[in-house]
Amino acid sequence: MGVEATKEIDARGSFCPGPLMEMIRGIREANVGDTVAVLSKDPGSRTDIPAWIEKAKHELVAVEDEAGYTRFVARKAR
Amino acid sequence: MPAEIVILGGGVGGALTANLLAKKLPAGSARIRVVDATGQHLYQPGFLYIALDQANAGWLSRDLRSLLPENVEIIIDKVAKIDTSSRKVNLELGGALNYDYLVIATGSRPNYEGVSGLKEGAYSFYSLTEAERLREALRTFKGGTLVIGVAGMPYKCPPAPVEFAFLVEEYLRKKGVRDKTTIKFLSPLNRAFTIESASALVAPMFAKRGIELNTFVNIDTVDPSNHEVHTLEDEVYSYDLAVLVPPHSGADALLTSGITDSAGWLPTDPKTLRVEEQEDVFAIGDATNLPISKSGSTAHFEAPVIVEQIAAAVEGRVPHPKRSRYGGKVTCFLETGNHQATILVFDYDNPPKPPRPSVVWHGAKWGFNRAYWFTVPKGRGV
């Protein structure tokens, strides 16, 4: 595991749009400045999650490829 | 001693499971009891038609007793707590039911409190009362900005807001106020609908009907006094009429019983439909945490799988390897207005390939609506 996160959400058992919804829920519940990490096995997350973070004006801190899944880390910016 | 089978909930999943068990099990081998809060079974897909003035409420409700055979007992009460360690269900009015096999079919419920201002500022069609309230609002609607959106996922019947958009567009055209109305559809995703193939079908049809598709719109709050929807993406949508799907929750009693995930859904094995880490407890329909549609159709295809496993256990045999496993099958109609519809048929491994909307599928949907009371909850044709 690379970048540390305030909250880690394992969405590997969830299909599209589950991981994106987990990221949205995580950011919604986080405090400004916190980082939220979501683990996803869903290939759609690679486009969905960064696109949502950009639109919602938060910060994508890291996209880390792990064995069989991807870890997305975002910082709540506002 | 007959096996004690307790089914919580008398909706599609509960009623169908009870009927199939009563048919399948040898007489005297089991006692089947259904616990339901109201004793009434509702055909919830009909709420949409109530809101759009296409049906009357009398069509949507039946006494649960009329749908179940005499040898299935009905207990009208609410579940207070489930104690899986002692295999017991406590009821609110008092008393407890011991079980050998438990089927949890408690469904999902709209949670209007989940989004600030939603109850006061928006309409929906997720209960009979709400559908009738929306019908009155539409009857007096003279034009303006109509916002249709989803205020929380997951929710019951994923195609419903898309169907509402198509049908209300047609409704307003016939009413003569379409040219005075801007319709905005707010989707939480980067497309119109959860399923990509269905979105690919819906998006160009929205464009053709002048329904404005706004993506990545996750509703944060509703401001009833200023008629505004505020989003997590820091946007504001003004409206004259807002129709928003409320967030949904599982049954409170499950959450307080400590057997759900943090969102209130039952962690469920996707194939066997057994509740994880519990013995002889099954979950069906909306109550599960499965990543598939919360819909009556899901429960319809799940029920025989649970029934086969319980029947095999009661009869002391090995369950049929195929009939005791759920493959994720769901079938949903999607109304697209102008007397047309399409159909979504899919499972865990195969996404739907929706056919071009046609009058045939619209006719099939209405045929299904009319046949529902004689088929689905009674287990005919399953």
Side-chain angles (χ1 to χ4, degrees):
Chain A
M1 191 177 297
V3 177
E4 275 195 27
T6 317
K7 188 176 183 185
E8 194 89 9
I9 301 168
D10 189 348
R12 284 176 291 181
S14 175
F15 305 112
C16 181
L20 170 65
M21 289 296 121
E22 292 297 337
M23 178 59 89
I24 293 170
R25 195 204 317 260
I27 290 283
R28 181 180 199 158
E29 291 168 0
N31 296 315
V32 174
D34 283 356
T35 44
V36 176
V38 170
L39 314 186
S40 172
K41 287 171 105 170
D42 177 33
S45 298
R46 288 200 83 94
T47 49
D48 283 3
I49 291 180
W52 181 77
I53 288 168
E54 189 184 349
K55 178 174 178 187
K57 299 172 200 151
H58 298 295
E59 183 192 346
L60 184 63
V61 178
V63 179
E64 297 164 353
D65 286 317
E66 305 288 344
Y69 67 94
T70 306
R71 182 170 178 264
F72 298 88
V73 187
R75 178 176 290 112
K76 182 163 178 166
R78 56 179 179 81
Chain B
M1 287 285 285
E4 295 282 356
I5 302 171
V6 173
I7 299 168
L8 306 180
V12 178
L16 179 54
T17 301
N19 267 303
L20 295 178
L21 281 168
K23 269 185 214 169
K24 193 160 187 162
L25 289 170
S29 65
R31 179 187 192 193
I32 305 168
R33 290 183 285 183
V34 176
V35 179
D36 189 78
T38 64
Q40 292 291 309
H41 182 106
L42 286 171
Y43 181 56
Q44 298 182 53
F47 294 157
L48 182 67
Y49 302 112
I50 299 284
L52 291 158
D53 242 339
Q54 293 183 13
N56 294 314
W59 163 57
L60 299 183
S61 176
R62 292 283 188 281
D63 191 330
L64 185 56
R65 184 70 274 168
S66 70
L67 301 172
L68 297 175
E70 280 179 9
N71 59 348
V72 172
E73 297 171 40
I74 299 173
I75 298 164
I76 299 175
D77 204 341
K78 285 183 180 169
V79 176
K81 196 177 179 201
I82 300 167
D83 181 353
T84 53
S85 58
S86 58
R87 292 177 176 249
K88 198 163 69 177
V89 177
N90 294 313
L91 302 176
E92 275 193 4
L93 296 176
L97 307 175
N98 294 309
Y99 66 81
D100 297 308
Y101 305 97
L102 180 66
V103 181
I104 303 177
T106 43
S108 62
R109 63 173 180 85
N111 175 15
Y112 296 98
E113 289 72 38
V115 170
S116 170
L118 182 67
K119 182 80 180 166
E120 304 80 17
Y123 291 84
S124 81
F125 48 87
Y126 274 75
S127 70
L128 181 55
T129 312
E130 281 293 308
E132 288 177 334
R133 202 169 76 89
L134 174 55
R135 180 183 62 197
E136 296 312 309
L138 285 171
R139 279 177 181 172
T140 55
F141 185 66
K142 302 220 168 13
T145 300
L146 167 61
V147 161
I148 302 164
V150 175
M153 291 178 78
Y155 61 89
K156 258 185 251 219
C157 191
V162 170
E163 289 185 295
F164 179 77
F166 282 127
L167 294 175
V168 81
E169 192 277 332
E170 182 185 3
Y171 173 99
L172 296 172
R173 235 185 306 131
K174 287 182 175 165
K175 194 176 145 77
V177 295
R178 179 65 184 93
D179 56 345
K180 295 179 196 131
T181 306
T182 301
I183 304 177
K184 295 186 179 187
F185 188 89
L186 314 184
S187 171
L189 309 173
N190 63 350
R191 52 185 178 269
F193 188 56
T194 48
I195 300 167
E196 285 194 64
S197 56
S199 292
L201 182 87
V202 164
M205 292 180 71
F206 269 8
K208 205 170 169 187
R209 308 266 175 97
I211 300 168
E212 184 189 301
L213 174 61
N214 298 271
T215 57
F216 277 150
V217 182
N218 286 274
I219 295 168
D220 190 20
T221 58
V222 177
D223 178 348
S225 45
N226 291 312
H227 283 213
E228 288 174 350
V229 171
H230 294 248
T231 78
L232 289 176
E233 292 80 18
D234 206 20
E235 293 175 327
V236 178
Y237 290 86
S238 297
Y239 66 83
D240 294 291
L241 183 66
V243 181
L244 304 177
V245 176
H248 280 57
S249 305
D252 290 338
L254 305 187
L255 200 58
T256 53
S257 299
I259 54 173
T260 65
D261 61 20
S262 58
W265 311 115
L266 291 162
T268 305
D269 183 282
K271 300 273 186 198
T272 64
L273 305 174
R274 287 174 182 267
V275 178
E276 288 170 6
E277 296 174 22
Q278 309 295 341
E279 231 176 288
D280 299 322
V281 180
F282 297 83
I284 186 168
D286 294 4
T288 77
N289 72 338
L290 296 177
I292 47 173
S293 301
K294 293 200 180 298
S295 73
S297 169
T298 304
H300 183 195
F301 291 111
E302 288 173 335
V305 171
I306 293 174
V307 168
E308 170 59 13
Q309 290 174 83
I310 294 177
V314 170
E315 294 167 6
R317 60 176 172 82
V318 176
H320 187 281
K322 247 183 129 176
R323 288 202 292 268
S324 61
R325 295 293 179 268
Y326 178 58
K329 185 172 180 184
V330 181
T331 301
C332 291
F333 290 101
L334 195 159
E335 295 267 26
T336 55
N338 300 338
H339 304 289
Q340 296 195 337
T342 183
I343 188 167
L344 310 175
V345 181
F346 53 101
D347 60 31
Y348 288 140
D349 303 317
N350 300 290
K353 294 175 187 160
R356 203 160 53 111
S358 75
V359 291
V360 173
W361 293 117
H362 174 72
K365 168 78 188 202
W366 273 96
F368 178 81
N369 288 339
R370 292 195 176 96
Y372 177 79
W373 294 112
F374 310 102
T375 54
V376 176
K378 293 189 172 183
R380 290 186 181 132
V382 175

